[in-house]
């Protein structure tokens, strides 16, 4: 049972467990929106572009300076996502190539900046797949505030979000400020990635932003059950991934990503609603 | 008595040197239907989007109950716009009932109103189905219900019969006629099926960019249609020999705002 008691005994593991719980709840809330808005590729570009913002931030601060690092990283990632949001707002031409270029160039620049200017020696794989040792109490506080913010930002104007996803033009006619919500959504994603990068890394955040939403949209029969399935699945399989990673001494982020995928496969087989994935 | 909607000399261009609409004029009375027909790229959907307030920068005048308004009707009138059904994202697990209820932003819909609309649109039996499980015809009826729950005075419908077979088209257009009576509203609809529009609408606007013709459907004939479409039609149900090749005054087509007779 040591693989469970470890989480109580060691502070860094306890912090990582709380961090995983908070991140999985945030991503569980956002994920159905990303998938239903057909922004999976954009989410991927956004999470990977955070490699550039975190590398730039690490040229000024170190990993243990949690608050200033988060603040600068969030500012930079907001700048990056605003650019992406501008280029993808009500475009008639396909934006996937632009997003693809954005993804690869920002990642490449991130690696170069990290190599040339980082104030401390940072392992690239930690930024891609996260590191349980990097999480601090300040990071947990930031994640908690973000969870509350994301919840209320989605819950209070929930009808507007639904309207926007279903039919942007009809929402516009009914007086919904679609530009505001377009940017707000991108910024929420940017801040989520920024707050999660130390524990989860860019790749695992991307997985958490997609897999729960795919399962929820595939199996849910109502909006309430969609949110419930997405958050419970995200929470359960992220914790399972963390525990498995610790017990088998595997990298936690990578184990969480694989566990989420296996969880998706199992749930798709077990839960009703199979055969609808092509309609998502 | 003022018409519900009057449009005068409306022009619009996506590119400065290529007008998609030039000096279009028409009017619509209360509880009447106007069918907009015309070839692809003729500006039908553009006109509808200008009226809905989705496109800005149009020149000309729009009057709502005699009052001149700037911009589209969305700011000044109780208007509902139903886009082409391809525009609807059905990924969310939302039921027919919830989707219609969400149509009424920001106010809440009463249960009674919702049940009435479901019944009038023939959707009661499928109210718990998810949107993504509906057929094309059912989805179009849901879209219509989502629009009428707001009790609009004017409904703008962009190709409501798109993708439906002829029976489905007939059923939907019959339903739209019923909506006009039950909800006391007017309808402007864009459609490619000329015969269906002539059969179901009170007035016609035949539109092809800078050419347009507008009057009661009884006045519409093949000569007018051939002239606006710039081609010959063989299989339409409209009358042919009303004019003996010579158009009376109200049958003239407008090109760039100038009247001209057809050869």
């Amino acid at each position: 049972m040591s693989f469970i008691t470890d989480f109580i005994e060691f502070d860094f593991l306890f912090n990582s467990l709380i961090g995983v719980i908070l991140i999985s709840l945030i991503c569980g809330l956002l994920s159905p929106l990303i998938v239903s808005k057909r922004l999976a590729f954009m989410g991927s570009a956004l999470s990977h572009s955070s490699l550039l913002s975190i590398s730039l931030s690490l040229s000024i601060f170190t990993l243990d300076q949690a608050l200033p690092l988060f603040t600068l990283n969030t500012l930079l990632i907001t700048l990056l996502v605003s650019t992406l949001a501008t280029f993808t707002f009500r475009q008639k031409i396909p934006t996937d190539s632009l997003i693809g270029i954005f993804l690869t160039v920002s990642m490449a620049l991130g690696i170069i900046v990290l190599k040339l200017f980082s104030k401390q020696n940072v392992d690239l794989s930690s930024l891609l797949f996260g590191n349980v040792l990097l999480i601090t109490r300040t990071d947990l506080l930031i994640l908690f505030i973000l969870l509350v913010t994301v919840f209320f930002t989605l819950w209070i104007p929930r009808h507007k979000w639904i309207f926007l996803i279903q039919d942007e033009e009809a929402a516009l006619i009914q007086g919904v400020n679609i530009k505001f919500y377009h940017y707000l959504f991108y910024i929420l994603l940017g801040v989520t990635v920024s707050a999660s990068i130390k524990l989860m890394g860019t790749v695992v955040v991307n997985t958490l932003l997609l897999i729960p939403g795919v399962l929820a949209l595939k199996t849910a029969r109502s909006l309430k059950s969609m949110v419930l399935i997405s958050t419970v699945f995200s929470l359960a399989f992220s914790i399972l991934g963390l525990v498995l990673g610790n017990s088998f001494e595997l990298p936690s982020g990578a184990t969480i990503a694989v566990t989420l995928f296996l969880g998706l496969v199992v749930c798709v087989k077990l839960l009703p609603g199979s055969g609808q994935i092509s309609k998502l | 008595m003022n018409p519900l909607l009057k449009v005068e000399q409306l022009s619009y261009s996506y590119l400065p040197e290529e007008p998609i609409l030039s000096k279009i004029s028409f009017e619509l009375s209360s509880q009447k239907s106007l069918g907009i027909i015309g070839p692809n790229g003729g500006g039908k959907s553009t006109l509808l989007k200008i009226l809905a307030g989705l496109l800005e920068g149009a020149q000309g005048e729009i009057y709502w109950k005699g009052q001149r308004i700037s911009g589209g009707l969305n700011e000044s009138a109780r208007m509902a716009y139903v886009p082409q059904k391809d525009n609807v994202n059905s990924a969310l697990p939302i039921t027919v009932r919830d989707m219609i209820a969400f149509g009424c932003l920001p106010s809440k819909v009463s249960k009674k109103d919702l049940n009435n609309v479901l019944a009038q649109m023939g959707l009661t039996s499928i109210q718990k189905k998810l949107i993504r499980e509906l057929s094309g015809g059912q989805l179009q009826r849901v879209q219509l219900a989502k629009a009428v729950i707001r009790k609009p005075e004017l409904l703008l419908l962009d190709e409501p019969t798109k993708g439906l077979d002829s029976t489905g088209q007939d059923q939907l257009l019959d339903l739209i006629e019923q909506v006009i009576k039950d909800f006391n509203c007017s309808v402007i609809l864009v459609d490619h099926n000329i015969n269906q529009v002539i059969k179901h609408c009170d007035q016609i606007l035949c539109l092809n960019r800078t050419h347009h013709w507008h009057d009661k459907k009884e006045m519409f004939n093949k000569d007018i249609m051939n002239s606006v479409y710039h081609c010959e039609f063989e299989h339409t149900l409209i009358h042919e020999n009303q004019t003996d090749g010579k158009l009376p005054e109200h049958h003239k087509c407008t090109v760039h705002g100038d009247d001209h007779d057809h050869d």
Side-chain angles (χ1 to χ4, degrees):
Chain A
M1 289 296 282
S2 70
F3 63 90
I4 292 176
T5 52
D6 284 353
F7 286 93
I8 301 160
E9 201 173 322
F10 299 104
D11 267 0
F12 76 95
L13 277 179
F14 181 75
N15 286 348
S16 67
L17 177 65
I18 301 297
V20 162
I21 290 170
L22 292 170
I23 292 170
S24 60
L25 288 174
I26 295 166
C27 293
L29 290 171
L30 287 170
S31 182
L33 267 74
I34 296 173
V35 180
S36 60
K37 278 167 81 72
R38 298 185 166 96
L39 291 176
F41 188 40
M42 190 284 302
S44 190
L46 204 153
S47 55
H48 286 80
S49 70
S50 63
L51 196 63
L52 175 59
S53 63
I54 190 76
S55 299
L56 286 166
S57 307
L58 284 170
S59 63
I60 298 170
F61 302 109
T62 54
L63 281 165
D64 50 354
Q65 293 173 288
L67 190 60
L69 185 71
F70 167 75
T71 309
L72 181 61
N73 190 27
T74 303
L75 282 173
L76 291 171
I77 207 165
T78 304
L79 197 69
L80 286 171
V81 297
S82 300
T83 313
L84 201 57
T86 305
F87 284 118
T88 52
F89 181 65
R90 285 175 70 78
Q91 293 295 317
K92 283 196 170 175
I93 52 164
T95 52
D96 55 344
S97 13
L98 189 77
I99 294 171
I101 294 166
F102 186 86
L103 186 155
T104 46
V105 171
S106 56
M107 262 192 100
L109 271 172
I111 291 166
I112 291 168
V113 170
L114 190 71
K115 176 80 178 167
L116 292 178
F117 303 111
S118 179
K119 280 192 82 175
Q120 64 187 128
N121 192 16
V122 180
D123 179 18
L124 181 63
S125 70
S126 293
L127 298 181
L128 291 174
F129 291 95
N131 189 337
V132 288
L133 296 171
L134 298 179
I135 196 98
T136 63
R137 292 278 164 134
T138 313
D139 291 313
L140 295 182
L141 182 66
I142 290 167
L143 283 169
F144 178 74
I145 294 167
L146 182 62
L147 173 63
V148 174
T149 309
V150 168
F151 177 79
F152 285 109
T153 311
L154 298 182
W155 176 256
I156 293 169
R158 58 193 180 282
H159 289 179
K160 289 182 180 172
W161 286 114
I162 293 162
F163 221 115
L164 272 167
I165 292 168
Q166 281 201 319
D167 187 349
E168 211 172 71
E169 285 189 341
L172 184 64
I173 289 169
Q174 287 231 37
V176 178
N177 187 342
I178 60 170
K179 196 170 190 179
F180 169 77
Y181 283 96
H182 177 78
Y183 278 86
L184 179 63
F185 188 66
Y186 274 61
I187 289 167
L188 276 184
L189 286 182
V191 180
T192 300
V193 171
S194 171
S196 317
I197 199 166
K198 280 162 79 177
L199 184 59
M200 293 295 199
T202 58
V203 175
V204 185
V205 172
N206 188 35
T207 315
L208 263 171
L209 285 172
L210 296 183
I211 290 180
V214 170
L215 179 74
L217 290 183
K218 183 170 161 50
T219 53
R221 299 287 305 175
S222 70
L223 293 169
K224 278 180 190 165
S225 63
M226 175 190 81
V227 175
L228 201 66
I229 290 171
S230 181
T231 45
V232 170
F233 172 86
S234 176
L235 185 66
F237 284 90
S238 298
I239 294 173
L240 181 64
L242 183 70
V243 173
L244 289 175
N246 179 54
S247 52
F248 294 105
E249 294 181 7
L250 296 168
S252 57
T255 315
I256 289 171
V258 174
T259 311
L260 281 165
F261 172 71
L262 293 174
L264 175 70
V265 174
V266 172
C267 290
V268 162
K269 290 285 175 199
L270 294 180
L271 291 172
S274 302
Q276 306 252 355
I277 205 151
S278 59
K279 294 190 177 183
L280 296 183
Chain B
M1 190 182 160
N2 287 321
L4 182 74
L5 175 72
K6 188 175 179 184
V7 172
E8 280 187 353
Q9 306 277 305
L10 193 79
S11 300
Y12 188 81
S13 306
Y14 288 107
L15 298 167
E17 64 279 7
E18 283 183 45
I20 183 85
L21 296 174
S22 180
K23 298 184 177 173
I24 306 299
S25 299
F26 65 92
E27 57 183 57
L28 178 66
S29 305
S30 285
Q31 296 172 49
K32 295 286 179 192
S33 57
L34 170 72
I36 305 178
I37 53 173
N40 285 330
K44 303 183 297 297
S45 292
T46 300
L47 176 59
L48 218 58
K49 285 185 178 182
I50 291 169
L51 293 176
L54 290 168
L55 288 176
E56 291 175 347
Q59 293 176 322
E61 315 287 345
I62 300 174
Y63 296 90
W64 176 258
K65 295 178 180 173
Q67 298 286 312
R68 190 179 164 217
I69 56 167
S70 55
L73 295 169
N74 55 330
E75 286 169 13
S76 319
R78 277 174 48 197
M79 175 274 301
Y81 170 70
V82 179
Q84 293 181 17
K85 69 172 184 289
D86 305 347
N87 288 9
V88 180
N89 180 348
S90 55
L92 286 176
I94 188 164
T95 60
V96 167
R97 189 181 177 86
D98 285 344
M99 180 158 170
I100 296 167
F102 284 142
C104 210
L105 273 176
S107 57
K108 279 199 167 182
V109 187
S110 73
K111 232 177 195 177
K112 190 183 158 197
D113 281 352
L114 188 54
N115 288 336
N116 283 344
V117 169
L118 281 164
Q120 280 167 304
M121 294 293 168
L123 297 168
T124 310
S125 61
I126 57 163
Q127 62 177 308
K128 287 183 181 169
K129 267 194 168 186
L130 296 182
I131 294 302
R132 60 174 174 244
E133 296 167 347
L134 302 180
S135 67
Q138 287 172 330
L139 182 60
Q140 207 52 273
R141 273 192 284 150
V142 172
Q143 286 279 81
L144 202 58
K146 188 180 163 189
V148 298
I149 193 99
R150 295 169 57 203
K151 298 175 182 157
E153 291 177 81
L154 176 63
L155 266 175
L156 304 177
L157 310 174
D158 196 358
E159 297 195 32
T161 62
K162 192 179 175 185
L164 304 181
D165 60 21
S166 57
T167 313
Q169 290 180 8
D170 244 343
Q171 286 171 347
L172 190 75
L173 290 167
D174 282 341
L175 184 65
I176 291 168
E177 282 187 72
Q178 197 58 44
V179 162
I180 294 171
K181 287 178 195 153
D182 293 347
F183 294 89
N184 299 324
C185 65
S186 302
V187 166
I188 297 180
L189 69 88
V190 164
D191 211 294
H192 277 288
N193 192 325
I194 298 164
N195 290 332
Q196 295 281 23
V197 169
I198 292 167
K199 185 177 165 191
H200 292 276
C201 294
D202 302 309
Q203 299 170 55
I204 307 289
L205 172 63
C206 192
L207 181 63
N208 186 4
R209 287 178 170 247
T210 53
H211 276 62
H212 80 284
W213 178 93
H214 164 62
D215 212 321
K216 290 176 184 167
K217 68 176 174 185
E218 292 77 17
M219 304 294 185
F220 192 60
N221 64 30
K222 271 194 176 176
D223 292 335
I224 295 165
M225 192 164 67
N226 292 343
S227 169
V228 176
Y229 274 77
H230 303 306
C231 63
E232 295 286 330
F233 281 83
E234 296 294 333
H235 304 290
T236 47
L237 298 176
I238 55 173
H239 34 276
E240 290 182 61
N241 300 318
Q242 267 191 349
T243 60
D244 298 326
K246 196 175 180 185
L247 299 176
E249 199 63 25
H250 56 265
H251 279 189
K252 287 178 178 178
C253 261
T254 304
V255 183
H256 292 291
D258 301 323
D259 290 345
H260 77 119
D261 286 325
H262 303 293
D263 300 324

